[in-house]
Amino acid sequence: MELQINEVRNSQWAEATVTVRNLGGTVFRGARFHRVDGAEHLIDLELTRIIHYQRTVDELSGGHTALVTLSGSGARVLRSGTLADGWQCIEGHNGPTPGAPDQ
């Protein structure tokens, strides 16, 4: 799974609310992210909420954009992207969410 960080709306030590674009297959609530491109430190963030078109949903298909909440360690390293600076991406896998494949 790979999410492109477009805009960080709120970032605290253990939680971030960000607008993302899903660059891979379907990502499910409960997915875990462990790597940020361009960062030397590992993260451990869980996708705890997905808001797509003003509705809370359990999954986000590839190619779609949504507002998500990520909880865990490493939330403070997330940054908004720009055309000039490029976009940061986080990589991970779907977790043990009921109905979600383990990838």
Side-chain angles (χ1 to χ4, degrees):
M1 307 279 76
E2 186 174 16
L3 299 179
Q4 178 185 62
I5 308 297
N6 294 325
E7 179 186 6
V8 177
R9 294 196 179 181
N10 182 21
S11 180
Q12 301 170 5
W13 285 109
E15 185 174 274
T17 303
V18 298
T19 303
V20 299
R21 181 169 179 84
N22 182 359
L23 300 179
T26 301
V27 64
F28 293 86
R29 189 174 44 80
R32 304 295 296 223
F33 295 89
H34 301 288
R35 184 173 133 77
V36 177
D37 65 345
E40 61 184 64
H41 302 294
L42 294 178
I43 59 172
D44 184 16
L45 294 172
E46 179 181 356
L47 179 58
T48 58
R49 187 171 186 189
I50 305 168
I51 300 175
H52 187 246
Y53 289 106
Q54 291 87 34
R55 287 187 24 220
T56 299
V57 297
D58 289 329
E59 62 187 60
L60 182 65
S61 300
H64 288 265
T65 300
L67 180 67
V68 303
T69 301
L70 298 160
S71 299
S73 64
R76 298 285 290 184
V77 303
L78 302 179
R79 62 172 174 75
S80 296
T82 66
L83 186 57
D85 294 334
W87 286 269
Q88 186 180 56
C89 292
I90 57 174
E91 298 173 5
H93 59 85
N94 280 315
T97 301
D102 190 17
Q103 297 178 358

